[in-house]
Amino acid sequence: MRLLHTSDWHLGRAFHRVNMLGAQAEFIGHLVTTVREREVDAVVVSGDVYDRAVPPLAAVELFDDALHRLADLGLPTVMISGNHDSARRLGVGAGLIDRAGIHLRTEPSAAGTPVVLTDAHGDVAFYGLPYLEPALVKDEFAVDKAGHEAVLGAAMDRVRADLAGRGPGTRSVVLAHAFVTGGEASDSERDITVGGVAAVPAGVFDGVDYVALGHLHGCQALTERVRYSGSPLAYSFSEADHRKSMWLIDLGPDGSVSAERVDCPVPRPLARIRGTLDDLLADPALARHEDAWVEATLTDPVRPAEPMARLTERFPHTLSLVFAPERGPDDPQVSYARRLAGRSDQQIAQDFVAHVRGAGPDEREAAVLREAFDAMRADAAVREVAR
């Protein structure tokens, strides 16, 4: 069975101030063409269909168009909700849409109930594990500790239990939206840290033939059987070096996996350039970036006059301007944002405690801070679902 694995469409998202809906529509067209030309048997979409819980109407219309085009091909599609989606909204009408071969899996309680597709070699069971917010699903999965590994592990126990009751030779595919250990993150994914830990080990998924992951935006293989497709478009300059693609997976009669990357259309290349303003405007080696979307980091010791206007004369698609004078980390003029770069909310809070009283929090106090951040995240998730 030939599968096309994609995820993280983020329909409705902009890239800085650029509307990406046209590029997202081009990707949908590319996906449909790939399905037709490469004789794909099923499409799997591993979450973050939309960029936010209440997407703009144009994004909903594009999603509707994608579903119609896939259904018109007579192609089964299995899709889960991600942490950016409202699972309840995305799942509205799932029972009816199911009749058209579009299988939306947004309910955690259905983790052990697969979509079963059949080819010449027998059944393939597709298990959809939507994004599992630990604080919201711990009761469903009867886990003592509300963490990603615990709830995913419990969901996978249901998957393995169902699979064990199926006929010999039944192959299996799991769709999941999670941060799995070994994956390389970028700046455009929303933080899903719980209890100070976001990542789960790939071993959680042992026992199935292929795991189609979503959440991280870089296409990557954690093992031969556990892969991220990544987002089809770049959504931050941290993705400037990404090769945006989908996975074309051939699932053999014995459950063996072979994989091929299928490149996605690139609306415009990305470039990150750094130096003094005069150097950036004069350097002939930067000519290749003149048609790219540009993030320029200026290292001038004093902020130059009209930097954006001058930059856009040479790089008309400059979208981001960063000032980073080359100073030592102890220089009092180093910006607060630079001092916090790369630090988690928990680390920032602990640094604040240390600054105020001269000593950082002890183990008990750190646990209190962690519980407070987790409670805030869970509350935000509940309020977003209820909107």
Side-chain angles (χ1 to χ4, degrees):
M1 184 173 287
R2 174 164 285 184
L3 316 176
L4 189 62
H5 167 198
T6 178
S7 72
D8 295 273
W9 294 358
H10 288 279
L11 301 181
R13 185 166 185 162
F15 182 73
H16 290 262
R17 61 178 179 272
V18 177
N19 186 318
M20 296 294 284
L21 205 64
Q24 291 169 339
E26 185 179 359
F27 160 70
I28 296 298
H30 171 68
L31 182 148
V32 171
T33 298
T34 301
V35 165
R36 186 186 301 113
E37 293 182 350
R38 301 302 301 270
E39 299 181 339
V40 171
D41 297 307
V43 172
V44 295
V45 186
S46 300
D48 281 355
V49 174
Y50 292 121
D51 188 56
R52 56 182 185 266
V54 185
L57 178 59
V60 177
E61 290 173 340
L62 180 55
F63 179 57
D64 180 66
D65 177 64
L67 296 187
H68 276 85
R69 295 172 72 176
L70 290 169
D72 287 346
L73 292 173
L75 182 82
T77 298
V78 185
M79 170 178 306
I80 62 173
S81 50
N83 60 302
H84 279 250
D85 299 309
S86 166
R88 291 175 62 185
R89 284 187 172 85
L90 188 64
V92 168
L96 186 62
I97 295 172
D98 196 81
R99 300 179 191 177
I102 306 294
H103 308 284
L104 295 172
R105 291 295 181 263
T106 63
E107 289 293 333
S109 59
T113 305
V115 176
V116 180
L117 305 179
T118 304
D119 66 6
H121 305 288
D123 289 346
V124 181
F126 290 77
Y127 297 90
L129 310 187
Y131 171 67
L132 302 175
E133 175 62 46
L136 302 183
V137 302
K138 63 183 179 67
D139 293 336
E140 166 65 33
F141 291 106
V143 297
D144 295 329
K145 185 178 180 181
H148 286 288
E149 184 174 354
V151 296
L152 265 175
M156 282 301 302
D157 286 343
R158 294 187 184 182
V159 168
R160 284 184 283 263
D162 179 86
L163 191 57
R166 296 192 174 272
T170 300
R171 290 158 289 165
S172 53
V173 175
V174 165
L175 290 73
H177 196 87
F179 187 179
V180 178
T181 303
E184 183 177 341
S186 60
D187 292 343
S188 54
E189 298 112 6
R190 183 182 294 170
D191 180 33
I192 59 172
T193 301
V194 170
V197 179
V200 300
V204 164
F205 300 104
D206 285 351
V208 296
D209 295 312
Y210 184 69
V211 181
L213 293 174
H215 180 57
L216 299 186
H217 288 184
C219 182
Q220 49 200 299
L222 305 186
T223 72
E224 191 64 24
R225 297 182 182 275
V226 181
R227 298 171 184 265
Y228 283 100
S229 67
S231 61
L233 296 166
Y235 292 115
S236 74
F237 278 103
S238 66
E239 301 168 55
D241 295 329
H242 286 191
R243 173 187 164 195
K244 295 300 183 181
S245 55
M246 303 176 285
W247 285 114
L248 192 67
I249 301 295
D250 284 323
L251 190 61
D254 59 352
S256 59
V257 171
S258 62
E260 175 189 345
R261 288 179 72 173
V262 178
D263 290 334
C264 295
V266 178
R268 191 179 296 277
L270 307 186
R272 302 178 103 172
I273 60 177
R274 182 185 182 93
T276 66
L277 179 58
D278 288 342
D279 286 347
L280 297 183
L281 295 177
D283 188 350
L286 299 180
R288 67 187 188 280
H289 300 314
E290 290 175 358
D291 194 44
W293 281 321
V294 168
E295 178 186 73
T297 299
L298 299 185
T299 60
D300 302 73
V302 177
R303 185 174 301 213
E306 300 184 330
M308 182 62 89
R310 293 169 64 189
L311 272 170
T312 53
E313 289 181 5
R314 183 179 188 190
F315 306 103
H317 304 289
T318 301
L319 299 181
S320 175
L321 186 58
V322 180
F323 295 97
E326 293 184 342
R327 300 187 175 110
D330 297 327
D331 190 304
Q333 295 190 60
V334 171
S335 72
Y336 181 68
R338 285 186 65 193
R339 293 198 299 272
L340 297 187
R343 301 185 68 75
S344 69
D345 291 342
Q346 176 87 12
Q347 291 170 321
I348 293 169
Q350 292 183 184
D351 288 349
F352 176 76
V353 172
H355 173 74
V356 169
R357 73 178 187 192
D362 59 26
E363 186 174 334
R364 182 186 62 81
E365 293 167 330
V368 170
L369 285 170
R370 186 160 52 247
E371 290 170 5
F373 282 119
D374 289 350
M376 289 175 61
R377 281 179 21 78
D379 181 65
V382 170
R383 285 187 283 107
E384 188 167 86
V385 168
R387 284 175 62 189

